[in-house]
Amino acid sequence: MATPADGGDKYRSYLTPEDLNNTQWIAGPPNYDVIWPAGSLEEYVQNLVKTWEMELVHKANPNDYKTLEAENFVLGINGKKYFSLKQVGEIGGSYNVFLQTSLPPSLRFYNPDEETYDSSQTAFKQVFPRGFAFEILQVYSGPPVISYKFRHWGYMEGPFKGLAPTGDLVEFFGTATFELNEDSKVVKVEFFYDRGELLAGLVKGKSSDESTANAPSGCPFMA
């Protein structure tokens, strides 16, 4: 199996350096990142969602947002609760919103109530130093109410909450809807997914702290 250390491609682990360089490819080596045709609905949705996510995570002033109507915008998670843009900021940003849970604090391996924007960003940038990729797998409907299936994925190449990196692929799948107003600005977003699928992939490493080793076990409870 090819590895980055021997010059292979980690994202296509069956390809050795020799395979990459010496094989006669029809249109280059295979790439499993989804690339939609230019001008397609799928490309429009992927660009919209990625730009929206970038603004939500990185822009400090709502007046600088281009994709959404800041005053009326709401974000819903699994149909349980909706957050205004102000509340997203108060909670500590996107990771702490997306990892909201009704589990008792004693059963939370990641507790969004105890994390800040800075601590959450640091934790996940450390876990996924090469990024946590997002891709649209299928678009079910176009604007004004966009519905799609997505995949979030990356390799655990850094530690998480005292657990050593595994190098394994971590991924989860879900669906989402984006509701646009007459000016094509996003006013309502809903995501549906299992947060435990993400966190379960991050708790497989060996513990560097005995107290972490005694944390609650079982994927749902580590959520």
Side-chain angles (χ1 to χ4, degrees):
M1 179 175 291
T3 67
D6 61 21
D9 188 332
K10 182 168 184 175
Y11 287 82
R12 294 178 288 274
S13 58
Y14 55 87
L15 295 178
T16 67
E18 291 75 18
D19 289 330
L20 289 171
N21 295 326
N22 300 330
T23 301
Q24 292 184 340
W25 302 104
I26 295 174
N31 187 325
Y32 298 118
D33 296 336
V34 176
I35 301 176
W36 296 106
S40 66
L41 173 62
E42 289 83 1
E43 183 195 48
Y44 167 78
V45 172
Q46 182 150 288
N47 289 342
L48 172 64
V49 174
K50 287 188 174 183
T51 304
W52 170 84
E53 185 178 39
M54 176 276 295
E55 292 188 320
L56 187 69
V57 174
H58 297 289
K59 289 188 176 181
N61 187 347
N63 293 326
D64 293 332
Y65 285 35
K66 305 297 183 183
T67 60
L68 60 81
E69 184 181 295
E71 184 176 348
N72 296 316
F73 174 79
V74 292
L75 170 61
I77 305 298
N78 290 327
K80 294 181 178 180
K81 189 174 181 179
Y82 293 88
F83 303 90
S84 67
L85 200 57
K86 180 180 178 181
Q87 289 172 320
V88 170
E90 291 172 345
I91 289 171
S94 58
Y95 281 117
N96 290 335
V97 171
F98 290 127
L99 294 175
Q100 288 289 301
T101 178
S102 58
L103 286 172
S106 61
L107 297 180
R108 300 178 187 182
F109 194 83
Y110 178 94
N111 188 352
D113 294 342
E114 296 179 349
E115 302 288 345
T116 65
Y117 172 85
D118 289 337
S119 68
S120 64
Q121 288 292 314
T122 297
F124 284 95
K125 286 179 181 178
Q126 188 175 42
V127 171
F128 302 117
R130 288 193 289 163
F132 191 39
F134 175 90
E135 57 190 4
I136 301 292
L137 299 179
Q138 186 173 359
V139 176
Y140 303 113
S141 63
V145 180
I146 298 168
S147 177
Y148 63 88
K149 180 181 179 180
F150 68 88
R151 175 193 182 218
H152 241 315
W153 62 281
Y155 286 91
M156 187 188 180
E157 298 172 318
F160 182 73
K161 298 295 181 180
L163 298 178
T166 63
D168 292 343
L169 173 67
V170 177
E171 63 182 345
F172 71 95
F173 298 82
T175 60
T177 60
F178 273 50
E179 184 175 330
L180 279 58
N181 64 14
E182 60 275 9
D183 297 318
S184 297
K185 299 289 187 180
V186 181
V187 292
K188 184 179 181 181
V189 171
E190 293 190 83
F191 280 93
F192 300 90
Y193 56 91
D194 180 359
R195 67 192 293 278
E197 287 299 307
L198 166 60
L199 295 174
L202 301 178
V203 297
K204 297 177 181 179
K206 294 182 179 180
S207 173
S208 60
D209 187 307
E210 290 184 0
S211 63
T212 306
N214 295 324
S217 60
C219 291
F221 305 110
M222 286 186 176

